[in-house]
Amino acid sequence: MIVLGIESSCDETAAAVVRDGTVILSNVVASQIEVHGPYGGVVPEIASRKHIEAIGFVIREALDKAEVDRHDIEGIAVTRGPGLVGSLLVGLSMAKALAYALGIPLVGVNHLVGHMAAVFLGRDRPAFPFVCLIVSGGHTTLCAVRDFEDVSVLGQTRDDAAGEAFDKAAKLLGIGYPGGIVIDRLARRGDGRVVPFPRAMRQSLDFSFSGLKTSLVNLLKRRACPFTEEELPDVAASYQEAVVEVLVEKTLRAAEETAMERVVVCGGVAANSRLRDLFAERAAVSGVRVYIPPADLCTDNAAMVAAAGDYLLRKGRRDGLDLNALSRWPLGLAL
Ligand code: KG4
Ligand code: ZN
């Protein structure tokens, strides 16, 4: 089955064509990073307008690159939520119009399930069930996944998401946006043991990153001057280590507690090189198999939405033209 995926939940306008939920024929992402960069974060009103400008071109390009005609498409999968409503509605409206015009089925996808489904686009694919860590700019959630329609949450952040912790730290340090990738790059030249940043809520499967951010704020206040070029890599590496260590520890503990042998790590922060290395290192010791999608499929894209959509369409899921956007859509909540 050939599925067209459409994603517009935040600041990426994306469209992709995927065959059988596993083979990417095209994967086009138009990023708005440059537009939001000067504000240090996504401005919702600007994001919606930019999606409207880009969406037609992005879908056209996805079809061209896949070398398929629109009549070859057999189903449309679109991100329904969670995300910015104004942004989601752009993708949803386009998806509905296309599904109606082409007379093909439409399915709304939970963005977080999309992130999970990215793992089926890589070469190494897990079988169900697995423990999944979703780490992105808006979410840090640990869940048990028996299949994409049977997901239960094991733990989640009580305040900031891991990606948010990176983005806010980069803003405080004045080193750029989005923060995760900048810190990842800087940290490669640093020593993660230099600054003893706190690790919160070690006993629980829930997460908390706001204390970590506050400790960076306090560190900056105590110094009264910015970090030097020589110090920055060590600060970035130490901060990254504090985030990554907690994510890896809790995920492997969740696998142990649920007696699951497979772990999937996904979402934008799963692109982090230190996170990937530490998971590989610790998993080898604990005997758990860890599956992480290729880095370019960890951050927002539409191929992951098409992969999740393929799965749901095969299960017989269909949505009508009255499908609406959801700013909040907790995992495990079937609609
Ligand atoms: O999944 P995603 O593209 O969008 C959301 O659904 O939120 O994730 C974006 C988040 C941002 O916070 C960004 O800083 C973070 O993922 N991120 C990274 C890296 N690449 C992106 N964080 C750490 N290391 C990276 N290499
Ligand atoms: Zn995302």
mmCIF file of all heavy atoms in Angstrom, residues 114-151:
data_model
loop_
_atom_site.group_PDB
_atom_site.id
_atom_site.type_symbol
_atom_site.label_atom_id
_atom_site.label_comp_id
_atom_site.label_asym_id
_atom_site.label_seq_id
_atom_site.Cartn_x
_atom_site.Cartn_y
_atom_site.Cartn_z
ATOM 1 N N GLY A 114 3.432 8.422 15.715
ATOM 2 C CA GLY A 114 4.269 8.637 14.531
ATOM 3 C C GLY A 114 5.742 8.496 14.889
ATOM 4 O O GLY A 114 6.490 7.768 14.234
ATOM 5 N N HIS A 115 6.155 9.177 15.962
ATOM 6 C CA HIS A 115 7.560 9.068 16.385
ATOM 7 C C HIS A 115 7.945 7.608 16.616
ATOM 8 O O HIS A 115 9.020 7.167 16.230
ATOM 9 C CB HIS A 115 7.804 9.881 17.656
ATOM 10 C CG HIS A 115 8.146 11.321 17.379
ATOM 11 N ND1 HIS A 115 9.199 11.694 16.588
ATOM 12 C CD2 HIS A 115 7.569 12.480 17.805
ATOM 13 C CE1 HIS A 115 9.264 13.020 16.521
ATOM 14 N NE2 HIS A 115 8.277 13.522 17.243
ATOM 15 N N MET A 116 7.058 6.853 17.264
ATOM 16 C CA MET A 116 7.354 5.427 17.524
ATOM 17 C C MET A 116 7.501 4.659 16.211
ATOM 18 O O MET A 116 8.372 3.812 16.063
ATOM 19 C CB MET A 116 6.192 4.776 18.288
ATOM 20 C CG MET A 116 6.019 5.228 19.696
ATOM 21 S SD MET A 116 4.663 4.218 20.359
ATOM 22 C CE MET A 116 4.067 5.279 21.630
ATOM 23 N N ALA A 117 6.600 4.958 15.266
ATOM 24 C CA ALA A 117 6.573 4.206 14.006
ATOM 25 C C ALA A 117 7.820 4.448 13.166
ATOM 26 O O ALA A 117 8.128 3.651 12.266
ATOM 27 C CB ALA A 117 5.317 4.555 13.211
ATOM 28 N N ALA A 118 8.556 5.529 13.456
ATOM 29 C CA ALA A 118 9.787 5.818 12.706
ATOM 30 C C ALA A 118 10.752 4.649 12.777
ATOM 31 O O ALA A 118 11.550 4.430 11.862
ATOM 32 C CB ALA A 118 10.444 7.088 13.245
ATOM 33 N N VAL A 119 10.670 3.882 13.846
ATOM 34 C CA VAL A 119 11.608 2.766 14.015
ATOM 35 C C VAL A 119 11.390 1.689 12.941
ATOM 36 O O VAL A 119 12.307 0.950 12.590
ATOM 37 C CB VAL A 119 11.515 2.196 15.462
ATOM 38 C CG1 VAL A 119 10.324 1.280 15.641
ATOM 39 C CG2 VAL A 119 12.806 1.486 15.837
ATOM 40 N N PHE A 120 10.191 1.625 12.370
ATOM 41 C CA PHE A 120 9.920 0.615 11.331
ATOM 42 C C PHE A 120 10.444 1.045 9.961
ATOM 43 O O PHE A 120 10.382 0.289 8.995
ATOM 44 C CB PHE A 120 8.419 0.302 11.266
ATOM 45 C CG PHE A 120 7.951 -0.389 12.516
ATOM 46 C CD1 PHE A 120 7.197 0.282 13.464
ATOM 47 C CD2 PHE A 120 8.311 -1.707 12.758
ATOM 48 C CE1 PHE A 120 6.797 -0.353 14.634
ATOM 49 C CE2 PHE A 120 7.917 -2.348 13.922
ATOM 50 C CZ PHE A 120 7.160 -1.672 14.858
ATOM 51 N N LEU A 121 10.945 2.276 9.891
ATOM 52 C CA LEU A 121 11.519 2.762 8.635
ATOM 53 C C LEU A 121 13.026 2.527 8.583
ATOM 54 O O LEU A 121 13.666 2.741 7.569
ATOM 55 C CB LEU A 121 11.228 4.263 8.481
ATOM 56 C CG LEU A 121 9.746 4.626 8.370
ATOM 57 C CD1 LEU A 121 9.537 6.114 8.598
ATOM 58 C CD2 LEU A 121 9.190 4.217 7.010
ATOM 59 N N GLY A 122 13.585 2.102 9.710
ATOM 60 C CA GLY A 122 15.018 1.802 9.748
ATOM 61 C C GLY A 122 15.249 0.359 9.306
ATOM 62 O O GLY A 122 14.309 -0.370 8.981
ATOM 63 N N ARG A 123 16.530 -0.040 9.300
ATOM 64 C CA ARG A 123 16.833 -1.405 8.854
ATOM 65 C C ARG A 123 16.541 -2.424 9.948
ATOM 66 O O ARG A 123 16.202 -3.569 9.702
ATOM 67 C CB ARG A 123 18.296 -1.503 8.428
ATOM 68 C CG ARG A 123 18.431 -1.380 6.918
ATOM 69 C CD ARG A 123 19.873 -1.474 6.524
ATOM 70 N NE ARG A 123 20.644 -0.387 7.146
ATOM 71 C CZ ARG A 123 21.959 -0.398 7.281
ATOM 72 N NH1 ARG A 123 22.655 -1.416 6.887
ATOM 73 N NH2 ARG A 123 22.579 0.635 7.836
ATOM 74 N N ASP A 124 16.691 -1.961 11.203
ATOM 75 C CA ASP A 124 16.535 -2.839 12.351
ATOM 76 C C ASP A 124 15.156 -2.590 12.965
ATOM 77 O O ASP A 124 14.920 -1.547 13.551
ATOM 78 C CB ASP A 124 17.642 -2.446 13.348
ATOM 79 C CG ASP A 124 17.937 -3.549 14.309
ATOM 80 O OD1 ASP A 124 17.527 -4.692 14.046
ATOM 81 O OD2 ASP A 124 18.596 -3.272 15.339
ATOM 82 N N ARG A 125 14.224 -3.552 12.790
ATOM 83 C CA ARG A 125 12.841 -3.317 13.236
ATOM 84 C C ARG A 125 12.470 -4.242 14.376
ATOM 85 O O ARG A 125 12.661 -5.452 14.274
ATOM 86 C CB ARG A 125 11.871 -3.563 12.077
ATOM 87 C CG ARG A 125 12.098 -2.601 10.946
ATOM 88 C CD ARG A 125 11.238 -2.971 9.739
ATOM 89 N NE ARG A 125 11.780 -2.306 8.575
ATOM 90 C CZ ARG A 125 11.907 -2.850 7.382
ATOM 91 N NH1 ARG A 125 11.500 -4.084 7.173
ATOM 92 N NH2 ARG A 125 12.442 -2.181 6.386
ATOM 93 N N PRO A 126 11.893 -3.679 15.437
ATOM 94 C CA PRO A 126 11.520 -4.518 16.577
ATOM 95 C C PRO A 126 10.166 -5.205 16.367
ATOM 96 O O PRO A 126 9.365 -4.773 15.542
ATOM 97 C CB PRO A 126 11.393 -3.504 17.704
ATOM 98 C CG PRO A 126 10.910 -2.266 17.018
ATOM 99 C CD PRO A 126 11.528 -2.265 15.654
ATOM 100 N N ALA A 127 9.947 -6.264 17.121
ATOM 101 C CA ALA A 127 8.609 -6.863 17.187
ATOM 102 C C ALA A 127 7.920 -6.254 18.409
ATOM 103 O O ALA A 127 8.586 -5.766 19.314
ATOM 104 C CB ALA A 127 8.739 -8.372 17.351
ATOM 105 N N PHE A 128 6.595 -6.250 18.418
ATOM 106 C CA PHE A 128 5.860 -5.868 19.627
ATOM 107 C C PHE A 128 5.974 -7.021 20.622
ATOM 108 O O PHE A 128 6.135 -8.169 20.194
ATOM 109 C CB PHE A 128 4.380 -5.644 19.294
ATOM 110 C CG PHE A 128 4.116 -4.439 18.435
ATOM 111 C CD1 PHE A 128 3.684 -4.596 17.113
ATOM 112 C CD2 PHE A 128 4.287 -3.159 18.931
ATOM 113 C CE1 PHE A 128 3.425 -3.486 16.312
ATOM 114 C CE2 PHE A 128 4.021 -2.049 18.131
ATOM 115 C CZ PHE A 128 3.591 -2.219 16.819
ATOM 116 N N PRO A 129 5.853 -6.820 21.921
ATOM 117 C CA PRO A 129 5.734 -5.529 22.588
ATOM 118 C C PRO A 129 7.122 -4.947 22.889
ATOM 119 O O PRO A 129 8.109 -5.653 22.846
ATOM 120 C CB PRO A 129 5.025 -5.910 23.898
ATOM 121 C CG PRO A 129 5.540 -7.276 24.215
ATOM 122 C CD PRO A 129 5.789 -7.941 22.887
ATOM 123 N N PHE A 130 7.141 -3.651 23.194
ATOM 124 C CA PHE A 130 8.399 -3.025 23.614
ATOM 125 C C PHE A 130 8.124 -1.859 24.558
ATOM 126 O O PHE A 130 7.001 -1.350 24.627
ATOM 127 C CB PHE A 130 9.222 -2.564 22.402
ATOM 128 C CG PHE A 130 8.483 -1.728 21.384
ATOM 129 C CD1 PHE A 130 8.173 -0.388 21.608
ATOM 130 C CD2 PHE A 130 8.112 -2.288 20.149
ATOM 131 C CE1 PHE A 130 7.519 0.372 20.641
ATOM 132 C CE2 PHE A 130 7.446 -1.530 19.176
ATOM 133 C CZ PHE A 130 7.152 -0.202 19.421
ATOM 134 N N VAL A 131 9.182 -1.500 25.291
ATOM 135 C CA VAL A 131 9.110 -0.277 26.102
ATOM 136 C C VAL A 131 9.576 0.842 25.190
ATOM 137 O O VAL A 131 10.526 0.669 24.431
ATOM 138 C CB VAL A 131 10.030 -0.387 27.341
ATOM 139 C CG1 VAL A 131 10.320 0.985 27.928
ATOM 140 C CG2 VAL A 131 9.376 -1.268 28.397
ATOM 141 N N CYS A 132 8.885 1.966 25.212
ATOM 142 C CA CYS A 132 9.266 3.070 24.332
ATOM 143 C C CYS A 132 9.526 4.350 25.123
ATOM 144 O O CYS A 132 8.726 4.729 25.978
ATOM 145 C CB CYS A 132 8.164 3.310 23.296
ATOM 146 S SG CYS A 132 8.623 4.547 22.083
ATOM 147 N N LEU A 133 10.657 4.971 24.843
ATOM 148 C CA LEU A 133 10.951 6.293 25.397
ATOM 149 C C LEU A 133 10.754 7.297 24.265
ATOM 150 O O LEU A 133 11.436 7.223 23.246
ATOM 151 C CB LEU A 133 12.396 6.361 25.906
ATOM 152 C CG LEU A 133 12.857 7.774 26.292
ATOM 153 C CD1 LEU A 133 12.176 8.260 27.580
ATOM 154 C CD2 LEU A 133 14.374 7.843 26.467
ATOM 155 N N ILE A 134 9.794 8.201 24.461
ATOM 156 C CA ILE A 134 9.585 9.270 23.475
ATOM 157 C C ILE A 134 10.166 10.545 24.073
ATOM 158 O O ILE A 134 9.707 11.011 25.124
ATOM 159 C CB ILE A 134 8.088 9.490 23.182
ATOM 160 C CG1 ILE A 134 7.422 8.157 22.818
ATOM 161 C CG2 ILE A 134 7.892 10.486 22.051
ATOM 162 C CD1 ILE A 134 5.914 8.233 22.866
ATOM 163 N N VAL A 135 11.197 11.071 23.423
ATOM 164 C CA VAL A 135 11.847 12.285 23.940
ATOM 165 C C VAL A 135 11.887 13.339 22.852
ATOM 166 O O VAL A 135 12.620 13.204 21.887
ATOM 167 C CB VAL A 135 13.295 12.027 24.424
ATOM 168 C CG1 VAL A 135 13.376 11.900 25.911
ATOM 169 C CG2 VAL A 135 13.950 10.851 23.724
ATOM 170 N N SER A 136 11.094 14.379 23.033
ATOM 171 C CA SER A 136 11.057 15.423 21.998
ATOM 172 C C SER A 136 11.041 16.791 22.670
ATOM 173 O O SER A 136 11.310 16.917 23.861
ATOM 174 C CB SER A 136 9.815 15.227 21.131
ATOM 175 O OG SER A 136 8.663 15.510 21.885
ATOM 176 N N GLY A 137 10.710 17.818 21.872
ATOM 177 C CA GLY A 137 10.664 19.161 22.414
ATOM 178 C C GLY A 137 9.477 19.357 23.343
ATOM 179 O O GLY A 137 9.503 20.190 24.253
ATOM 180 N N GLY A 138 8.424 18.577 23.150
ATOM 181 C CA GLY A 138 7.223 18.752 23.963
ATOM 182 C C GLY A 138 6.928 17.589 24.888
ATOM 183 O O GLY A 138 6.085 17.714 25.777
ATOM 184 N N HIS A 139 7.610 16.456 24.696
ATOM 185 C CA HIS A 139 7.271 15.255 25.466
ATOM 186 C C HIS A 139 8.483 14.491 25.966
ATOM 187 O O HIS A 139 9.505 14.430 25.280
ATOM 188 C CB HIS A 139 6.428 14.303 24.612
ATOM 189 C CG HIS A 139 5.097 14.877 24.247
ATOM 190 N ND1 HIS A 139 4.933 15.684 23.153
ATOM 191 C CD2 HIS A 139 3.896 14.808 24.857
ATOM 192 C CE1 HIS A 139 3.667 16.087 23.105
ATOM 193 N NE2 HIS A 139 3.022 15.576 24.124
ATOM 194 N N THR A 140 8.330 13.929 27.146
ATOM 195 C CA THR A 140 9.277 12.935 27.655
ATOM 196 C C THR A 140 8.408 11.893 28.319
ATOM 197 O O THR A 140 7.900 12.096 29.424
ATOM 198 C CB THR A 140 10.265 13.577 28.660
ATOM 199 O OG1 THR A 140 10.963 14.618 27.972
ATOM 200 C CG2 THR A 140 11.259 12.552 29.183
ATOM 201 N N THR A 141 8.190 10.794 27.622
ATOM 202 C CA THR A 141 7.227 9.794 28.072
ATOM 203 C C THR A 141 7.791 8.396 27.903
ATOM 204 O O THR A 141 8.372 8.068 26.870
ATOM 205 C CB THR A 141 5.920 9.915 27.238
ATOM 206 O OG1 THR A 141 5.442 11.254 27.324
ATOM 207 C CG2 THR A 141 4.842 8.972 27.744
ATOM 208 N N LEU A 142 7.604 7.595 28.942
ATOM 209 C CA LEU A 142 7.982 6.181 28.891
ATOM 210 C C LEU A 142 6.699 5.388 28.807
ATOM 211 O O LEU A 142 5.779 5.609 29.598
ATOM 212 C CB LEU A 142 8.676 5.801 30.204
ATOM 213 C CG LEU A 142 10.186 5.692 30.216
ATOM 214 C CD1 LEU A 142 10.668 5.434 31.629
ATOM 215 C CD2 LEU A 142 10.693 4.637 29.253
ATOM 216 N N CYS A 143 6.596 4.470 27.850
ATOM 217 C CA CYS A 143 5.366 3.696 27.777
ATOM 218 C C CYS A 143 5.617 2.249 27.379
ATOM 219 O O CYS A 143 6.672 1.912 26.839
ATOM 220 C CB CYS A 143 4.366 4.355 26.832
ATOM 221 S SG CYS A 143 5.056 4.910 25.310
ATOM 222 N N ALA A 144 4.616 1.423 27.680
ATOM 223 C CA ALA A 144 4.639 0.026 27.259
ATOM 224 C C ALA A 144 3.760 -0.051 26.024
ATOM 225 O O ALA A 144 2.600 0.358 26.051
ATOM 226 C CB ALA A 144 4.093 -0.861 28.372
ATOM 227 N N VAL A 145 4.328 -0.553 24.927
ATOM 228 C CA VAL A 145 3.600 -0.585 23.661
ATOM 229 C C VAL A 145 3.349 -2.037 23.263
ATOM 230 O O VAL A 145 4.280 -2.758 22.900
ATOM 231 C CB VAL A 145 4.414 0.136 22.549
ATOM 232 C CG1 VAL A 145 3.631 0.202 21.250
ATOM 233 C CG2 VAL A 145 4.808 1.531 22.996
ATOM 234 N N ARG A 146 2.107 -2.476 23.362
ATOM 235 C CA ARG A 146 1.764 -3.849 22.948
ATOM 236 C C ARG A 146 1.431 -3.856 21.454
ATOM 237 O O ARG A 146 1.743 -4.766 20.739
ATOM 238 C CB ARG A 146 0.640 -4.415 23.807
ATOM 239 C CG ARG A 146 1.199 -4.886 25.176
ATOM 240 C CD ARG A 146 0.143 -5.087 26.206
ATOM 241 N NE ARG A 146 -0.393 -3.819 26.666
ATOM 242 C CZ ARG A 146 0.142 -3.089 27.651
ATOM 243 N NH1 ARG A 146 1.202 -3.512 28.290
ATOM 244 N NH2 ARG A 146 -0.389 -1.948 28.002
ATOM 245 N N ASP A 147 0.769 -2.815 20.991
ATOM 246 C CA ASP A 147 0.745 -2.440 19.576
ATOM 247 C C ASP A 147 0.339 -0.969 19.553
ATOM 248 O O ASP A 147 0.093 -0.387 20.608
ATOM 249 C CB ASP A 147 -0.138 -3.378 18.723
ATOM 250 C CG ASP A 147 -1.620 -3.164 18.922
ATOM 251 O OD1 ASP A 147 -2.093 -2.034 18.706
ATOM 252 O OD2 ASP A 147 -2.313 -4.120 19.294
ATOM 253 N N PHE A 148 0.268 -0.357 18.371
ATOM 254 C CA PHE A 148 0.067 1.096 18.336
ATOM 255 C C PHE A 148 -1.299 1.528 18.857
ATOM 256 O O PHE A 148 -1.536 2.702 19.093
ATOM 257 C CB PHE A 148 0.302 1.646 16.932
ATOM 258 C CG PHE A 148 1.755 1.651 16.546
ATOM 259 C CD1 PHE A 148 2.147 1.438 15.238
ATOM 260 C CD2 PHE A 148 2.742 1.868 17.504
ATOM 261 C CE1 PHE A 148 3.489 1.438 14.882
ATOM 262 C CE2 PHE A 148 4.084 1.870 17.169
ATOM 263 C CZ PHE A 148 4.458 1.645 15.855
ATOM 264 N N GLU A 149 -2.202 0.560 19.021
ATOM 265 C CA GLU A 149 -3.499 0.920 19.579
ATOM 266 C C GLU A 149 -3.623 0.470 21.039
ATOM 267 O O GLU A 149 -4.691 0.554 21.614
ATOM 268 C CB GLU A 149 -4.616 0.309 18.722
ATOM 269 C CG GLU A 149 -4.703 0.992 17.368
ATOM 270 C CD GLU A 149 -5.860 0.481 16.541
ATOM 271 O OE1 GLU A 149 -5.937 -0.748 16.348
ATOM 272 O OE2 GLU A 149 -6.686 1.295 16.113
ATOM 273 N N ASP A 150 -2.538 -0.050 21.578
ATOM 274 C CA ASP A 150 -2.559 -0.509 22.968
ATOM 275 C C ASP A 150 -1.275 -0.041 23.655
ATOM 276 O O ASP A 150 -0.277 -0.757 23.730
ATOM 277 C CB ASP A 150 -2.675 -2.048 22.988
ATOM 278 C CG ASP A 150 -2.811 -2.588 24.402
ATOM 279 O OD1 ASP A 150 -2.811 -1.784 25.365
ATOM 280 O OD2 ASP A 150 -2.901 -3.823 24.549
ATOM 281 N N VAL A 151 -1.335 1.200 24.118
ATOM 282 C CA VAL A 151 -0.158 1.848 24.691
ATOM 283 C C VAL A 151 -0.498 2.280 26.116
ATOM 284 O O VAL A 151 -1.534 2.899 26.342
ATOM 285 C CB VAL A 151 0.219 3.113 23.870
ATOM 286 C CG1 VAL A 151 1.400 3.835 24.495
ATOM 287 C CG2 VAL A 151 0.519 2.749 22.419
#
